[in-house]
Amino acid sequence: LGEIMAAEVLYRKYRPQKFSEVAGQEPIMRTLRNAVASRKVSHAYLFSGPRGTGKTSTGRLLAKAANCRDSQEGEPCNKCDSCLAFTQGRAMDLVELDAASNRGIDAIKDLRERVGYAPGSAEFKVYILDEAHMLTTEASNALLKTLEEPPPHVIFVLATTEPHKIPATIGSRCQRFDFRRIPLEAAVDRLAYVCEQEKIECPREALELIARSATGSMRDAINMLEQVVDYHGRELSVETVQSGLGLTGDARSSDLARLVLQGDLGGGLALIASVRDDGLDLRQFQREVVSYLRQLLLVAAGADSALSLTKEQTKEMKKLLEGVIKEQVVQALRAFGQVDVRADPLSSLPLEMALAECVLARQAAEAKAQAAPSPVVERREAAPARPPVVAPTPVSDERQTPRTSSRRQATPAGSAAPGVTEAPESPADAKDAGPERAAEPVSVPAEVSEMQAKWQEVYQLTRKINFKAGALLNSGCSITGIDDGVVTFGFRHEPLVEKMNSGEGGAYLQALREAVQKVLDASYDVRCVYDPQASSARPASAGSGGHLVQAARELGARVVRGGDKGEMG
C-alpha cells in the first residue's frame, strides 16, 4: 500500500533528495551546502517564502546532510544508514512540529524538555517547526532562551509563509533565508524530469501552462500534472492540459483584445456575452485577455524576444498593431488588468465596463484629432468674404449699449476686427449660423445645478448600497432634470440604461432612489433615460472626471476651463 501511495502522490515521491535537486533556490542551496561541508552548521535557521517553494524539504535535506557519514562537498550521499533513515522517514532524530496545532506554551515547554535528550543514532537532532508564525506570544517567549543557546547537538529550522509575524527577538537568533517563487524555466525543467521518470508524454508548451498556473509553487505544479494525468492518461497535449486544469484556452481572448484595439464596442460586447453564456470562467478569461495584451505591448515595444512566440504569431501581432499607438495598448492593459470579478464571478459587467472605457477613450481621441477648426478660426477666415460695414451713427447711448452687449454674448471673442461691426445677419445668414448658435452655453436651472453639486454624494452612497448600481453611474451619466419630484438621470449608452432599469428586479433603481432621498433629505423618485448628450457628472478635479476624462488625460488631453463650465480640449 505504501508503494502504491508513493506512486500516486508525485510531489512526495519526487521530493528533492539533494540540494542540487531543489529548483530555483540556487543561492540558498549553495550556502547550506558550504556550511555542511565546512562543518559550520548554525544552531537555528528561519526559512521564509511562499508555499511550495521548498522550505520544509530544505529543512529535511539539511538534517540529512548534517548527519550524513559520507557527505560529498556538503551533499548527502543517500547511501549510508543515516541518509536512508532520513529518506524513508524513519529517522528518530528528525522531529517535525506543526506550530498551527502546537502553538501554545505547553507544547513549547514539552519541546524544551525534549531538547535536552541526546540524539539516538545521529550526530544532530533536528527540529523543524512549520508555520512558526502561528506560535502565541507566550510560546514564542518560552522558546527564546532555548533557541538562543540550544545544546550543541540540536538544530532548529523554523519555516513560515509570513515572516513579518515572526517576533524580532526570534528572527534575530536565526540565520534567515528567503525562498523565492520558482522561476518558470526551473519549474518546467523539474516537471520535464518528473514526466521522464514517470514515462509521461507531454510537450514543453503544456508544461509551461502548468508552471504558469502554479504561480511559482513547485508542489502545486506537480499536483496539477498528476491531476491532468489522472484524467487524460500519460499522453498529454496542450489541449488536454487546458481542459484538465479548467483553462479556457479560448481564441476569443485574443479576439476581444483585437476588438478593443479596433474600437469595435458592439462586437466586443457580443463576444463577452457569448463567453458568459458558454459558461466559461470569466476570471480565467480576463487573465488570458490581459496576457495577450501584455504580449502585444512587448511586441509593440520591440521586446518580442522575451516571449516564446512563433514567427507566425509575431507576424500576426505586428499586423494587428498597425495603426495602433502604444498608449492604446497600455490603456487597454490597465483597464482589463484592474477588472475585479471576485464579487460576482458570473457577471460580465466589469468586463463590459472595461471594454467601453477603452473604446470610448479611443473614439474621444480620434474625434479630437479629426475635429474641424474652431468656430473662432472659421469666422476669422471667412471675414474677408463679407465686406465690413461701418456702423451707423448711434441714435442714443441707451439704444446702442444693449445691442453691443447682445452681440458680444452671441459672437465669440475676437471674431471681428477692432473698430469694425458686422452687418446684421439676414434670415439666410441666421440659418447658416445655426450650428454656431447651438454651441452657445445653455443655462442650467438652479435646482438641477444644486443637485449636480451633490452628485458625488449620490454616487458614493449608491455605490455603498449596491456596488453594481454605482458602477453603472460611473460612465457617461449625469442629472438632466428635476420635475414634479422626479430626478431624471441621463445615460449616454443605451445598454447601461437597460441594465439600470431592469437590474436585479429593480434593485439598482431602488438603490439610486434611496441614495437620492438620503442626500436631498426629501422624498424624490428617480427615472433613468437614454440621453446621447449626457456627460459624466463627476467633478473634473485633478485625478477625477470619470473614466472618459481620465482616459483622455492619459492619452495627452488637457482640461480647458470655459466661461461657465469646463470642457475637454
Side-chain angles (χ1 to χ4, degrees):
L1 178 61
E3 293 179 357
I4 294 176
M5 290 299 295
E8 290 180 350
V9 186
L10 293 182
Y11 86 89
R12 294 180 60 186
K13 180 178 180 180
Y14 289 97
R15 275 187 184 274
Q17 299 303 322
K18 291 185 177 181
F19 290 117
S20 58
E21 295 179 3
V22 179
Q25 312 294 346
E26 287 78 10
I28 299 175
M29 298 306 111
R30 171 182 282 187
T31 304
L32 295 177
R33 190 166 59 245
N34 291 342
V36 172
S38 61
R39 308 303 294 174
K40 292 182 180 179
V41 179
S42 177
H43 66 281
Y45 292 91
L46 175 60
F47 294 162
S48 64
R51 71 182 191 280
T53 52
K55 300 183 297 295
T56 306
S57 296
T58 301
R60 294 179 179 180
L61 277 175
L62 179 62
K64 180 164 63 172
N67 289 295
C68 179
R69 297 168 185 172
D70 188 21
S71 64
Q72 305 294 325
E73 298 182 353
E75 290 279 20
C77 68
N78 288 322
K79 296 179 181 179
C80 65
D81 294 338
S82 175
C83 286
L84 292 176
F86 278 97
T87 300
Q88 297 169 5
R90 52 183 176 84
M92 301 299 295
D93 296 315
L94 175 62
V95 181
E96 293 190 41
L97 294 176
D98 179 18
S101 55
N102 297 278
R103 60 194 305 264
I105 190 171
D106 292 335
I108 298 303
K109 284 182 177 179
D110 180 61
L111 174 64
R112 290 175 57 185
E113 293 178 0
R114 294 163 58 184
V115 163
Y117 294 105
S121 58
E123 181 179 355
F124 295 98
K125 195 162 191 174
V126 181
Y127 290 87
I128 299 178
L129 195 60
D130 206 3
E131 299 300 332
H133 65 274
M134 297 293 289
L135 290 176
T136 63
T137 303
E138 294 79 7
S140 298
N141 293 334
L143 183 62
L144 279 178
K145 191 62 177 178
T146 302
L147 196 64
E148 183 178 17
E149 297 179 0
H153 59 266
V154 172
I155 299 175
F156 281 101
V157 177
L158 279 62
T160 178
T161 55
E162 301 183 47
H164 59 280
K165 293 184 179 180
I166 297 291
T169 50
I170 288 183
S172 63
R173 289 164 168 80
C174 306
Q175 283 192 15
R176 176 172 170 174
F177 292 94
D178 293 323
F179 286 67
R180 59 175 182 170
R181 294 187 182 275
I182 311 299
L184 180 65
E185 285 299 318
V188 172
D189 290 342
R190 186 64 179 174
L191 289 174
Y193 171 78
V194 173
C195 289
E196 180 182 356
Q197 297 298 313
E198 293 293 318
K199 304 297 187 293
I200 299 172
E201 295 183 10
C202 185
R204 193 172 182 85
E205 293 79 8
L207 295 180
E208 288 183 0
L209 283 178
I210 296 174
R212 291 184 189 278
S213 300
T215 62
S217 172
M218 197 68 249
R219 180 173 63 239
D220 289 356
I222 297 178
N223 274 335
M224 290 179 183
L225 174 63
E226 184 176 16
Q227 174 185 341
V228 176
V229 169
D230 289 343
Y231 185 77
H232 291 285
R234 295 179 179 273
E235 294 184 4
L236 303 177
S237 63
V238 174
E239 291 74 18
T240 55
V241 168
Q242 290 175 338
S243 172
L245 297 182
L247 304 178
T248 61
D250 203 304
R252 285 177 288 189
S253 58
S254 57
D255 290 341
L256 179 59
R258 175 177 52 80
L259 293 172
V260 169
L261 298 181
Q262 292 176 350
D264 189 349
L265 180 60
L269 291 174
L271 188 147
I272 293 175
S274 69
V275 171
R276 177 200 61 206
D277 295 341
D278 288 347
L280 298 182
D281 186 348
L282 294 181
R283 290 171 295 183
Q284 180 60 33
F285 182 75
Q286 175 223 355
R287 286 193 287 267
E288 292 189 3
V289 173
V290 171
S291 176
Y292 191 78
L293 287 170
R294 172 183 173 271
Q295 292 177 355
L296 287 175
L297 179 61
L298 291 176
V299 172
D304 48 288
S305 58
L307 301 171
S308 301
L309 299 175
T310 63
K311 292 182 179 179
E312 291 75 14
Q313 290 174 322
T314 304
K315 183 178 180 181
E316 180 182 353
M317 288 185 175
K318 288 182 177 179
K319 183 177 180 181
L320 173 59
L321 290 168
E322 291 178 359
V324 177
I325 59 177
K326 298 183 183 69
E327 286 77 4
Q328 293 175 350
V329 184
V330 172
Q331 167 68 15
L333 187 57
R334 180 184 295 110
F336 281 91
Q338 293 175 348
V339 167
D340 185 2
V341 294
R342 291 176 297 179
D344 188 359
L346 302 180
S347 173
S348 60
L349 178 60
L351 288 172
E352 294 167 347
M353 294 296 292
L355 170 66
E357 177 182 340
C358 297
V359 173
L360 296 178
R362 173 192 173 99
Q363 292 176 354
E366 291 178 348
K368 178 176 179 290
Q370 298 175 0
S374 64
V376 173
V377 176
E378 290 178 356
R379 295 194 64 172
R380 283 179 178 173
E381 293 176 350
R386 178 183 297 176
V389 179
V390 179
T393 305
V395 177
S396 66
D397 292 340
E398 289 78 12
R399 294 179 60 187
Q400 180 67 16
T401 301
R403 180 177 181 83
T404 303
S405 175
S406 174
R407 291 293 294 174
R408 284 179 180 173
Q409 292 179 6
T411 305
S415 60
V420 177
T421 305
E422 297 181 1
E425 295 179 353
S426 64
D429 293 336
K431 183 178 180 181
D432 295 339
E436 275 190 30
R437 297 185 181 276
E440 294 180 4
V442 180
S443 61
V444 180
E447 190 176 7
V448 176
S449 178
E450 179 183 357
M451 184 63 188
Q452 290 175 345
K454 298 183 178 181
W455 167 262
Q456 190 67 11
E457 298 179 47
V458 173
Y459 164 69
Q460 292 292 349
L461 186 55
T462 305
R463 188 172 182 267
K464 184 177 181 181
I465 297 172
N466 190 305
F467 181 84
K468 296 179 183 177
L472 290 171
L473 295 177
N474 200 27
S475 178
C477 174
S478 62
I479 299 170
T480 57
I482 301 179
D483 185 24
D484 293 334
V486 178
V487 181
T488 302
F489 290 80
F491 288 79
R492 189 165 52 209
H493 311 298
E494 192 169 4
L496 301 185
V497 181
E498 298 175 359
K499 285 182 177 291
M500 194 71 190
N501 288 325
S502 61
E504 295 185 0
Y508 295 171
L509 278 178
Q510 179 59 31
L512 180 58
R513 185 181 300 110
E514 182 179 344
V516 169
Q517 292 176 355
K518 287 185 178 180
V519 171
L520 298 182
D521 195 19
S523 178
Y524 279 93
D525 199 0
V526 296
R527 180 178 62 173
C528 297
V529 299
Y530 171 55
D531 185 355
Q533 304 301 322
S535 62
S536 177
R538 298 180 65 185
S541 59
S544 64
H547 289 297
L548 297 183
V549 174
Q550 184 64 22
R553 289 176 186 271
E554 295 170 357
L555 290 172
R558 61 188 179 88
V559 174
V560 178
R561 298 296 177 185
D564 57 353
K565 65 177 183 177
E567 63 183 23
M568 195 164 56

